[in-house]
Amino acid sequence: MSDATTDPRHFRTPPRRPLRLSWSDERVRAIVWQVLVVGVVVAVVWWLVRNTAHNLEVRRIATGFGFLGREAGLPIGEHLIDYSPTDTYARALLVGVLNTLKVAVVGVLLATILGTAIGIARLSRNWLLARLASAYVEVIRDLPLLLQLLFWYTILQGLPGPRQALNPVDGVYLSNRGLKLPWIEWQGAHTAALLALVAGAAGAWLYARWARARQMADGQPRRAWPAAVLLILGLPVAVWAAMGAPWTVDRPTLRGFNFVGGVTMSPEYFALLIGLVTYTAGFIAEIVRAGILAVNLGQWEAAQALGLRHGQVLRLIVMPQALRVIVPPMTSQYLNLTKNSSLAVAIGYQDIVSIANTTLNQTGQAIEGIAIIMAVYLTISLSISAFMNWYNARIALVER
Amino acid sequence: MLGTIRALGAAVLALAGAATALPAAHAQQPAQQSPAANTVEVIRSRGTLVCGVNTGLAGFGAPDAQGRFQGFDVDYCRALAAALLGDAERVRYVPLTAQQRFTALQSGEVDVLYRNTTWSFSRDTSLGFDFPAINFYDGQGFMVKVSTGVQSASELQGATVCVQPGTTTEQNLADWARANNMQIRPVVIERMEEAVGAYIAGRCDVYTTDVSGLASTRAAQGPRSEEHRILPEVISKEPLGPVVRQGDPRFRDIVAWTHFALVAAEELGITRENVERAAQSDPRPEVQRLLGRTGDLGQMVGLPNDWALRAIKAVGNYGEVFERNLGPLGIQRGPNRLWTQGGLQYAPPFR
């Protein structure tokens, strides 16, 4: 507390003196009020819990999480892990969590890319591009997300049926049953190549670090990208080739009602993803724009005066400073996107809310169902916050 | 600083202790105060019956062009309001989706559900509900577009099926697919209108729900109803009926016997039109008891003696309710004929 660099917005601690048991003592008053508030909160929560438990008992409504082990019997259209209706509610809910993550993770990545592009486009000197970006932001931000999701879903339903599917490229089919793509038959060599890719990326990062350290030491700039390309692309290909280069393509073919084989991106997932990405990108674009504008013009001019190219100015001078402004509100947008994914219910994508709703409907245990939904979103949101806070701390201005 | 915190903690604990002691003193009485306990009194003092109905299933519960709810289930709400309050108009309809309905009833948002709800073991035993009667015997079926050429459910291998979540339909579909070794792709959409819309738009090959619901949906397509075919297979038993909260036997009895009164009226040949005359001049003892001319059946459930007369006068007998709402949709009586005609509708004796 005696630290000289204490945040001046925090009040200074008053000098210590003995506690007097009197209403005129500021500290006694503070304690009394705080105790009262905490007491009221505790009492209300306690009353709510007790009242609920009592009412559930009176109405003979089952309680507890025992239902998680029971057979779910509910069909789920999309699942990242193996699932059949004979599996338990716990597994069905896990499928729901993974479906939520599937749309949230991909959505956050795409929304960041699209939003950054639009944010930069809005600052472009090209009049048409800047106006188009402004129009996009204004239209997208001002329409309710649910409406946009239904819009995309309706559009996707307007695609032709599987028998008349659009076939832009051989093996790729677009119909009202979703997007069908060919996919390789997964074998051990592919897993090994994937691991090699991860190892290669790690290697490339280490190399870049080393190159930078050397540059700091001897002032010689070193090109990191040839080694990076070799490690990231060459290593997996080499591993894959060494293991016999297996390559069997599983192509979608029309059989009976629908396509068999290949991978599917369902219209429900597609509509939800497009809706969330375009909507959130509108907000991210404004955050990116604000971040870039927040960097003093003098920084640009100084960097240019030093002879840095435009790209270098952005990458080395402007972006590191803009990120400090961008990252905190960006965290909110990532959280929003994740939570907004619960609107999936409206268009039939089976995320955690959809599956937990069905579960609570079948078991009648609404409180437990809602508690599960809350726990899942809280966990995801806190994880995102924790990561973004870590990142924010990393890029924050280091004061010496 | 540490001393302050310790003082705070002790005070909080003391207060929490006091709070624990307080409500415990009157913890004995809430059973009488919970909304489940005396539904009849709650309805009387409110002056209206709050009825949970379908969001829009033509023939069962759907708003008409004037926004007034009409249908088979809605007529039951009217009959119950007539029996309880003497006025069939004193009903507030709360449209509920399949997923909302049970929470709405559990929480006391509605007094009774008349919403195509299947009576099943787990719903009866673990949701805190009672199923007083079965007013419609149904079963689950499939509807396809005629253009697919499908004639039987056995041809549905690999089909995409639109289904509403939180229904027995959803579970029956999974059971049926497993039993018949079928690969089915479900598309699960909560609102019925949107599930039907997805089927019409071609997102699904098949729409599945109770056969009555299929007939209603098909009829609602108007001139294009010929493009849809209901497959002959019925894959489940769906006994539909009203649902009430457990723990109020009197209200449960009134709901059950309102249904039985309508069935008995059909059996005895009493209609909306002739019910007043029958009460005056029909000499049969059961008619006299049912319509409250003799005996005190009404008083036994705490209602005026002409409760059944009022219900029948409001909506007619079971056959009239059925024909008025479901006849235009082409739904046959089938198992819902009276037991005297080989059906399952049967009212215990009024005595």
Side-chain angles (χ1 to χ4, degrees), chain A residues 107-125:
Chain A
V108 161
L109 284 176
L110 293 181
T112 309
I113 295 169
L114 182 66
T116 309
I118 292 169
I120 292 174
R122 239 193 127 169
L123 293 170
S124 165
R125 277 192 217 124

Side-chain angles (χ1 to χ4, degrees), chain A residues 16 59 177 268 348 361 364, chain B residues 1 35 99 106 127 166 203 205:
Chain A
R16 290 195 64 89
R59 283 157 202 195
R177 303 300 161 81
E268 289 77 26
N361 197 272
Chain B
M1 202 67 198
Q99 288 200 335
Q106 278 173 342
L127 298 188
R203 172 68 184 100
D205 304 299

Side-chain angles (χ1 to χ4, degrees), chain A residues 313-326:
Chain A
V313 176
L314 259 182
R315 189 163 56 87
L316 298 172
I317 309 294
V318 177
M319 275 327 258
Q321 298 183 71
L323 274 179
R324 288 178 198 135
V325 181
I326 291 175

Side-chain angles (χ1 to χ4, degrees), chain A residues 16 31 34-35 38-39 42-43 46 50 54 58-62 71-77 85-86 153 157 176-177 180 257-259 266-268 345-346 348 350 354 357-358 361-364 366, chain B residues 1 4 8 11-12 15 19-20 23 27 30 34-35 98-99 102-103 106 126-128 150 155-160 165-166 170-171 174 178 185-190 194 198 201-205 246:
Chain A
R16 290 195 64 89
I31 290 172
Q34 287 175 53
V35 165
V38 172
V42 167
W46 183 87
R50 201 181 163 286
H54 177 79
V58 165
R59 283 157 202 195
R60 294 179 188 82
I61 297 170
E71 182 186 306
L74 62 97
I76 300 178
T86 43
Y153 192 47
Q157 281 184 354
N176 59 13
R177 303 300 161 81
K180 285 278 176 184
F257 286 102
N258 212 331
F259 289 97
S266 75
E268 289 77 26
V345 186
Q350 287 176 293
S354 165
N357 266 346
T358 306
N361 197 272
Q362 284 177 359
T363 59
Chain B
M1 202 67 198
T4 323
L8 240 159
V12 166
L15 210 84
T20 325
S34 71
Q99 288 200 335
F102 294 136
T103 348
Q106 278 173 342
S126 72
L127 298 188
V150 171
E155 299 165 40
L156 293 180
Q157 178 70 23
T160 308
E170 192 186 21
Q171 293 164 304
R178 202 194 324 164
R185 290 157 213 254
V187 175
V188 180
I189 303 182
E190 184 180 4
E194 273 143 31
R203 172 68 184 100
C204 306
D205 304 299
Q246 217 165 41

Side-chain angles (χ1 to χ4, degrees), chain A residues 249-334:
Chain A
V249 179
D250 182 16
R251 297 158 63 85
T253 44
L254 188 64
R255 195 179 306 151
F257 286 102
N258 212 331
F259 289 97
V260 183
V263 286
T264 314
M265 194 192 232
S266 75
E268 289 77 26
Y269 176 72
F270 207 35
L272 183 66
L273 189 64
I274 299 180
L276 288 174
V277 166
T278 51
Y279 182 76
T280 315
F283 293 87
I284 290 181
E286 287 297 273
I287 293 171
V288 169
R289 189 171 72 105
I292 293 175
L293 287 180
V295 177
N296 197 320
L297 201 61
Q299 298 277 329
W300 287 84
E301 290 167 350
Q304 277 161 359
L306 284 173
L308 295 179
R309 281 173 312 225
H310 185 74
Q312 283 179 317
V313 176
L314 259 182
R315 189 163 56 87
L316 298 172
I317 309 294
V318 177
M319 275 327 258
Q321 298 183 71
L323 274 179
R324 288 178 198 135
V325 181
I326 291 175
V327 167
M330 202 76 123
T331 310
S332 309
Q333 291 307 322
Y334 291 168

Side-chain angles (χ1 to χ4, degrees), chain B residues 137 322 331-338 341-344:
Chain B
Y137 289 91
F322 196 105
I331 297 176
Q332 303 294 315
R333 281 293 286 270
N336 291 300
R337 289 188 302 255
L338 291 182
Q341 293 154 19
L344 292 169

